[in-house]
Amino acid sequence: MALLSYAELTGKRMRRDITITGSIDSQGHVGKIGGILEKATAVGTSELRKYAVFMIPRKQRIQGGIDVAKYALDKWKLQVVEVDNFDDVIKIAFETKEGEKVTVEEKIIPPLILIPFKASEKTSEFGKIATSELSETKRKANGANVPEELSVQAKENAIEAQKLLEKGYYYSSANIAFITTISIDEFNFVNATKPELLGRLKELKALAEDLVFENQTEENFEWIVGAKLRFYWANGKIKLAEDKIAAGNYISAAGDIALATSWMRAAGRMNIPSKNQNAKEMRNFYFREKAADLISRAKELRVNGRLDFEADERLKTAIDEFSNAEYLTAVFDASFAIAYSEALDNIIDKTYSEVVQNICNKDSFEVTCDIFKDLEFKSMWAEMYYAHGLYNFQESNRSLDGENLANGMKLLALSNAFEKRREEVLAILNNPAEELIPASTILPSKQVQVKLTVEEDSKKNLILYSMVAILVLIILFAFISRRPKELKMAYTETQMQ
């Protein structure tokens, strides 16, 4: 749309054999977008027009281990080029001729010099998880079936993740390793047949059925909530992959399966038992009202068009968790949606420089900014999301990337939300108003096994209730039908007397 508007305003004629995908921010940076391989396939196989050039955002050439540029050139003679900003797009669209091969000057980005983050003891266990994720990435990067381009990229990512780990950015380190592992898994799944993909889904469902969550207490509830969040996110991707396989979209399904695999693994690693046997149990029914309130707020934001795709996905899983009586987990998933919306409200219609000025009172993120001062957090997730936000700000600082800036804003809002939610749920725990809740609704105080769906149980209950209702109606009808006869007989007997 921006390209067409430029052509209309300047009166210049644009090449007709090019197309582009990506987002664009107020500074003209071309941001990342999903489904690059699928979009390249659509462009390469288009029957409406023969395209010669397909422009994509920078650093999105490798998708699921596949070099999209090489793949498209070999398969459709389609040149795929990465662009960094709108100036790159204009040069290709208006300063080259149709059929001409294009080149884009590679942008030199300075190395990232990280400001150390002082991680607290409460997040040290997550540092171990990050180390495990990193080991998994290194192992898979050296796999025999991994193509050289993907292996090289994975090893570079592993080096960056190691640096982040050493600087105290545990979540950021784990996230890079996590995404890299997904990319390798996606490559392994992308050429799989339908039976092979369905077989992997069956394995994932079996893992889900076998995952028994520890009791959530005041000591470990953040870990258990983190595990359950990722369990439900994985569940959503499993369902999505099933739909895509049914529609014959195997390549896209492979990505969902890879993501579900990593989330399910993360759920298992975060399922950490409470060390304090006397810690108060966080029974789910205590938090039903709180979850309902937050979901209602998120739904209102959706109606008003204030949820982006990611926030809407979190709302969907919060609703799913609520329907499965996982109210505490739903509290935090709904908080994702609300926090993301608040963050976007703070950057919409603002330039990159204006957002940085609002955060730092400077033109760039520097060590003297207040956000880099040592802070104390009560919530471990609040601390790690805050640190991950700082990492994104530093990334945006060296590349002027609007996507990293937006992610940083989301993460700081999420950090504030989780810090607040922790205090709220602990307050509810200490004053649960249990006497207001019928005894029949109190869940058993033991380990619970979360199922993928409750649809079958719901159907069984509906059938049972229906049968009981029909039986009651039959008895009532028989009673009413019989009653007039009894009255008539009694009247006759009275007359005879």
Side-chain angles (χ1 to χ4, degrees):
M1 186 63 72
L3 194 58
L4 293 174
S5 298
Y6 180 87
E8 186 69 25
L9 290 171
T10 61
K12 293 182 178 180
R13 187 176 183 276
M14 183 174 67
R15 279 182 63 165
R16 299 184 71 251
D17 62 347
I18 65 166
T19 187
I20 185 172
T21 188
S23 60
I24 187 166
D25 64 18
S26 59
Q27 300 296 294
H29 297 108
V30 179
K32 294 179 181 178
I33 198 166
I36 294 293
L37 183 56
E38 291 85 348
K39 288 168 184 170
T41 301
V43 172
T45 58
S46 174
E47 296 180 357
L48 298 176
R49 184 182 301 178
K50 179 64 177 176
Y51 291 100
V53 178
F54 179 39
M55 292 177 278
I56 65 174
R58 182 171 57 87
K59 288 189 175 182
Q60 288 208 278
R61 174 175 169 170
I62 305 298
Q63 293 288 312
I66 296 175
D67 186 335
V68 178
K70 185 177 184 303
Y71 182 82
L73 191 62
D74 293 343
K75 200 168 184 69
W76 308 295
K77 298 190 183 306
L78 173 68
Q79 185 185 5
V80 175
V81 294
E82 292 185 332
V83 291
D84 182 68
N85 53 53
F86 198 56
D87 288 339
D88 294 335
V89 176
I90 290 172
K91 288 177 183 177
I92 294 172
F94 299 97
E95 298 177 15
T96 61
K97 299 177 182 179
E98 289 189 17
E100 181 182 342
K101 185 178 179 180
V102 302
T103 57
V104 177
E105 184 178 343
E106 186 175 350
K107 184 178 180 181
I108 299 175
I109 299 177
L112 176 63
I113 301 175
L114 280 169
I115 299 170
F117 182 81
K118 188 177 180 181
S120 70
E121 181 62 29
K122 70 171 71 69
T123 63
S124 61
E125 192 67 33
F126 197 90
K128 297 176 184 177
I129 291 177
T131 301
S132 297
E133 284 288 342
L134 187 52
S135 297
E136 183 79 3
T137 298
K138 291 176 179 178
R139 181 183 68 80
K140 292 196 172 187
N142 292 314
N145 298 323
V146 180
E148 184 179 357
E149 299 94 337
L150 181 57
S151 180
V152 169
Q153 184 63 57
K155 289 173 183 177
E156 289 177 358
N157 290 351
I159 292 172
E160 183 178 358
Q162 183 63 46
K163 290 178 180 177
L164 286 163
L165 186 62
E166 292 169 358
K167 293 287 187 178
Y169 294 85
Y170 297 152
Y171 188 90
S172 305
S173 174
N175 191 58
I176 289 176
F178 179 83
I179 292 171
T180 305
T181 300
I182 289 170
S183 183
I184 297 172
D185 285 341
E186 187 176 356
F187 170 78
N188 292 328
F189 295 142
V190 79
N191 293 317
T193 62
K194 180 178 179 179
E196 289 171 336
L197 292 175
L198 290 174
R200 180 54 189 154
L201 282 179
K202 186 176 180 180
E203 292 173 1
L204 281 172
K205 288 182 178 181
L207 285 173
E209 289 291 334
D210 292 340
L211 182 57
V212 179
F213 290 102
E214 298 288 343
N215 284 343
Q216 53 195 25
T217 70
E218 59 183 328
E219 180 190 63
N220 74 336
F221 79 91
E222 286 194 279
W223 282 111
I224 305 305
V225 165
K228 289 180 179 180
L229 284 170
R230 284 148 186 84
F231 175 90
Y232 275 93
W233 299 346
N235 175 29
K237 290 299 177 182
I238 289 171
K239 292 176 182 176
L240 190 58
E242 285 179 322
D243 293 340
K244 289 179 179 179
I245 291 171
N249 192 355
Y250 303 144
I251 292 178
S252 185
D256 293 322
I257 292 173
L259 192 50
T261 299
S262 290
W263 267 334
M264 198 65 74
R265 183 177 65 249
R269 286 177 175 169
M270 294 179 192
N271 189 27
I272 297 175
S274 176
K275 295 177 182 178
N276 182 2
Q277 298 298 320
N278 297 319
K280 290 183 181 179
E281 186 176 352
M282 308 279 281
R283 296 188 179 186
N284 268 303
F285 66 87
Y286 291 163
F287 311 103
R288 189 181 190 280
E289 184 177 344
K290 185 66 180 178
D293 174 59
L294 291 170
I295 288 174
S296 177
R297 285 170 56 188
K299 283 182 175 180
E300 186 176 346
L301 291 171
R302 174 198 275 171
V303 170
N304 294 329
R306 292 172 58 198
L307 295 186
D308 63 6
F309 176 79
E310 191 176 9
D312 196 65
E313 287 294 295
R314 297 287 74 82
L315 173 56
K316 288 177 184 176
T317 48
I319 293 170
D320 190 22
E321 290 149 4
F322 191 91
S323 69
N324 282 278
E326 288 291 346
Y327 304 129
L328 184 57
T329 306
V331 163
F332 287 90
D333 230 347
S335 295
F336 270 94
I338 296 170
Y340 287 173
S341 174
E342 291 173 351
L344 293 178
D345 285 347
N346 289 328
I347 62 177
I348 196 166
D349 296 330
K350 291 186 177 69
T351 65
Y352 183 95
S353 299
E354 287 172 341
V355 175
V356 176
Q357 279 283 351
N358 287 342
I359 299 171
C360 233
N361 292 322
K362 298 177 183 292
D363 294 329
S364 63
F365 294 106
E366 300 174 6
V367 69
T368 54
C369 291
D370 287 344
I371 58 172
F372 290 106
K373 291 181 179 178
D374 291 341
L375 299 175
E376 289 188 10
F377 298 89
K378 293 182 179 179
S379 164
M380 70 171 197
W381 286 113
E383 178 180 320
M384 290 191 293
Y385 286 141
Y386 190 89
H388 193 37
L390 297 185
Y391 163 66
N392 273 270
F393 285 147
Q394 291 173 86
E395 272 289 355
S396 74
N397 206 37
R398 66 168 179 155
S399 63
L400 299 180
D401 190 335
E403 183 184 17
N404 282 121
L405 180 65
N407 286 341
M409 292 294 289
K410 283 182 175 181
L411 287 158
L412 257 60
L414 192 59
S415 172
N416 291 334
F418 270 54
E419 186 80 353
K420 185 177 180 180
R421 289 297 97 80
R422 175 185 165 82
E423 294 304 305
E424 289 172 349
V425 298
L426 287 176
I428 292 171
L429 174 66
N430 293 322
N431 185 26
E434 188 169 342
E435 68 277 4
L436 300 178
I437 303 171
S440 60
T441 66
I442 298 179
L443 301 178
S445 175
K446 61 180 182 180
Q447 289 183 337
V448 293
Q449 184 173 15
V450 181
K451 301 296 183 182
L452 276 176
T453 179
V454 295
E455 289 180 1
E456 291 184 6
D457 290 340
S458 298
K459 290 177 181 177
K460 290 177 182 178
N461 290 338
L462 183 60
I463 293 171
L464 179 61
Y465 295 151
S466 299
M467 291 175 65
V468 171
I470 292 170
L471 183 59
V472 169
L473 287 172
I474 292 172
I475 294 172
L476 185 60
F477 180 80
F479 176 81
I480 293 172
S481 300
R482 185 180 174 190
R483 187 70 176 165
K485 294 179 182 179
E486 292 175 350
L487 290 172
K488 184 176 182 181
M489 186 180 294
Y491 177 77
T492 305
E493 289 175 354
T494 303
Q495 290 289 92
M496 288 177 65
Q497 289 177 2

